[in-house]
Amino acid sequence: MQTQQRERDLPDDVVLEIASRSSLSTIASFRATAKRLNLLTYAPTFDPVHSPSGLLLQSMIKNNYVIKWVSTREGCSGLGWVEFDFLPLKVKLNACSDAQGLAYCESQAEQSRANGPGVKNHYVCKVTTREWQQIPNPKTMSQVRACSGIVVVGSDPVRYKIVRLSYARLSTQARFNYNMHACQVFDSARPGRWRRAEKAVELEREGEYIRPDSEMVTVNGNLHLLVGPKRVLVFDSVTERCDFFATPELEQGSLDLKLLKFQGKLGLMVENNISQETLTLWIMEDYENKQWARSYNMDRSAKLGRFRDSDTGLCMGFDAMFYEREASTALPVSISALQSDFEKVGWKTAADAGGYAQRQDAKERARRLNANRM
């Protein structure tokens, strides 16, 4: 009772200053302590010094994946390169966690055709501390792309789970059931292999599909994926089972839907493709009973923020991107939200990467030497 009284007596600016200098785990404790603290740490003025947050935009340029960083903080420099050169190989980003800033990647080049087509090395890394670990390769048996998500289920030590959804085979031949998805799970606490869930994910309704570049949203420790206008797929990180629940009742018409996380809650942003004037935000206020509530309508043009070194607009606070780029500019093939800190997790570093970072340095030195000679 006395602790709650002292918390109420502290001015908001003092509370924000304390939280801004804390790690992600401490900020999470702030949010769980009281509703007031939760709202304060989601305010636009909250700027955690040791916890960078933003979006990773992955594009394909000259058959190589290139990743750029977009900070969600006002007054920042906007876009910048995110270096994954501390890994043994060039990678493609598959998914990011919303805690600890973990990234799940796979090598861009195939490593061994003797093990079948499409065999690539898989890694989990923490970008801010440049630490990484290699994990076993999932059994793909084909070149069909998968939709992936990663969720942190423990912090001391770091424990995470990865889920991959890919088309289920109908036979030993290259035939697939595009309404049925096999579910594979990797648990870092059981690092020996991937496990295949007993029950596949079946899409039964018209208009439902799973895109390989879809981002899974983490809320309440579970992964969520919008599969159609009327259903959301949820992966329970404890039971490792997949289930469905309904989206809110929406108006008829051509709608563009985006699943997101808003102030720690599951959200659904709805845009009418005919009018395109407003965006409607729905919030799941009661997660246990899966009850949605309409939050408010937002004027699209009024909410776009512009960065001085890019013509990419960011809808602040909603993790939703709107592009105003020239046709010659490569658009991102995937967008992943990332929030991290600088707490080390005790994994391998660039010195253990087997030479990729050193080769990059050697190329850069050779380039500078040639430039000086000219």
Side-chain angles (χ1 to χ4, degrees):
M1 187 69 179
Q2 293 179 353
T3 303
Q4 294 180 354
Q5 181 63 43
R6 287 196 298 269
E7 177 267 315
R8 286 194 294 267
D9 293 339
L10 288 175
D12 289 352
D13 56 347
V14 175
V15 175
L16 289 177
E17 179 66 21
I18 296 173
S20 67
R21 300 183 181 277
S22 305
S23 64
L24 283 180
S25 58
T26 305
I27 294 175
S29 300
F30 266 74
R31 290 169 174 168
T33 301
K35 184 176 181 180
R36 169 175 167 266
L37 294 180
N38 182 66
L39 294 176
L40 286 176
T41 54
Y42 281 114
T45 55
F46 180 61
D47 186 13
V49 176
H50 304 294
S51 303
S53 61
L55 303 177
L56 294 178
L57 279 62
Q58 182 169 231
S59 304
M60 176 69 78
I61 301 178
K62 295 182 179 180
N63 294 325
N64 285 309
Y65 286 98
V66 178
I67 304 171
K68 280 191 173 183
W69 163 265
V70 183
S71 176
T72 56
R73 298 179 185 175
E74 296 184 2
C76 67
S77 60
L79 288 171
W81 296 103
V82 177
E83 298 291 346
F84 284 84
D85 59 352
F86 58 92
L87 295 173
L89 299 167
K90 290 184 178 180
V91 297
K92 168 184 175 291
L93 179 65
N94 288 334
C96 286
S97 69
D98 73 335
Q100 299 289 337
L102 302 186
Y104 166 48
C105 313
E106 66 179 70
S107 62
Q108 296 190 35
E110 297 179 5
Q111 298 305 300
S112 175
R113 286 191 173 273
N115 296 328
V119 176
K120 301 179 180 180
N121 289 355
H122 290 247
Y123 306 96
V124 174
C125 64
K126 186 168 183 176
V127 181
T128 51
T129 60
R130 297 172 65 83
E131 296 174 286
W132 63 278
Q133 60 178 203
Q134 185 173 350
I135 63 174
N137 298 338
K139 294 183 178 180
T140 57
M141 300 179 62
S142 71
Q143 295 183 355
V144 176
R145 295 178 297 171
C147 177
S148 306
I150 178 172
V151 56
V152 175
V153 295
S155 58
D156 190 19
V158 172
R159 180 186 177 187
Y160 59 85
K161 290 185 179 182
I162 304 174
V163 59
R164 282 170 52 94
L165 299 172
S166 56
Y167 297 130
R169 273 186 175 273
L170 290 175
S171 66
T172 57
Q173 301 175 353
R175 299 176 57 211
F176 299 91
N177 183 347
Y178 294 102
N179 292 325
M180 190 79 69
H181 291 72
C183 178
Q184 291 177 291
V185 181
F186 178 80
D187 186 350
S188 63
R190 303 168 63 182
R193 62 183 180 87
W194 291 74
R195 302 189 306 278
R196 184 163 179 168
E198 296 181 0
K199 186 178 180 181
V201 176
E202 184 175 5
L203 305 181
E204 302 173 342
R205 303 184 183 182
E206 183 179 358
E208 292 187 341
Y209 60 94
I210 296 178
R211 293 197 309 264
D213 59 347
S214 298
E215 181 187 9
M216 295 188 182
V217 179
T218 305
V219 174
N220 284 19
N222 298 327
L223 291 168
H224 304 79
L225 180 67
L226 185 68
V227 298
K230 296 185 178 181
R231 288 204 302 177
V232 175
L233 172 69
V234 54
F235 170 77
D236 191 309
S237 61
V238 177
T239 63
E240 297 185 358
R241 295 179 180 177
C242 293
D243 203 352
F244 297 91
F245 60 84
T247 59
E249 291 291 335
L250 303 175
E251 60 183 7
Q252 299 296 322
S254 178
L255 303 177
D256 189 13
L257 309 181
K258 165 76 174 179
L259 200 66
L260 48 88
K261 187 174 183 177
F262 180 74
Q263 295 187 352
K265 299 178 180 180
L266 191 66
L268 182 68
M269 189 161 55
V270 182
E271 177 185 9
N272 192 315
N273 289 329
I274 299 178
S275 64
Q276 295 185 345
E277 294 179 356
T278 60
L279 301 172
T280 304
L281 177 66
W282 291 80
I283 300 296
M284 181 169 283
E285 296 291 352
D286 186 351
Y287 184 85
E288 183 177 356
N289 297 311
K290 302 296 185 293
Q291 296 295 321
W292 297 90
R294 185 193 295 266
S295 179
Y296 52 80
N297 291 341
M298 171 180 73
D299 180 26
R300 176 175 178 175
S301 60
K303 292 295 183 179
L304 293 180
R306 185 177 296 274
F307 298 103
R308 62 174 180 267
D309 58 352
S310 171
D311 53 356
T312 299
L314 172 64
C315 183
M316 300 298 294
F318 291 88
D319 289 347
M321 298 300 300
F322 302 96
Y323 307 106
E324 299 175 3
R325 294 175 173 265
E326 297 179 0
S328 59
T329 305
L331 293 179
V333 296
S334 67
I335 304 171
S336 301
L338 177 71
Q339 184 175 14
S340 187
D341 55 28
F342 296 97
E343 300 289 329
K344 291 187 176 296
V345 292
W347 295 348
K348 294 181 180 180
T349 63
D352 307 307
Y356 175 60
Q358 290 82 350
R359 292 196 300 272
Q360 295 296 100
D361 292 338
K363 290 180 181 179
E364 179 63 21
R365 289 194 297 269
R367 186 191 66 79
R368 292 179 180 176
L369 181 60
N370 293 333
N372 292 333
R373 288 176 178 175
M374 296 176 60

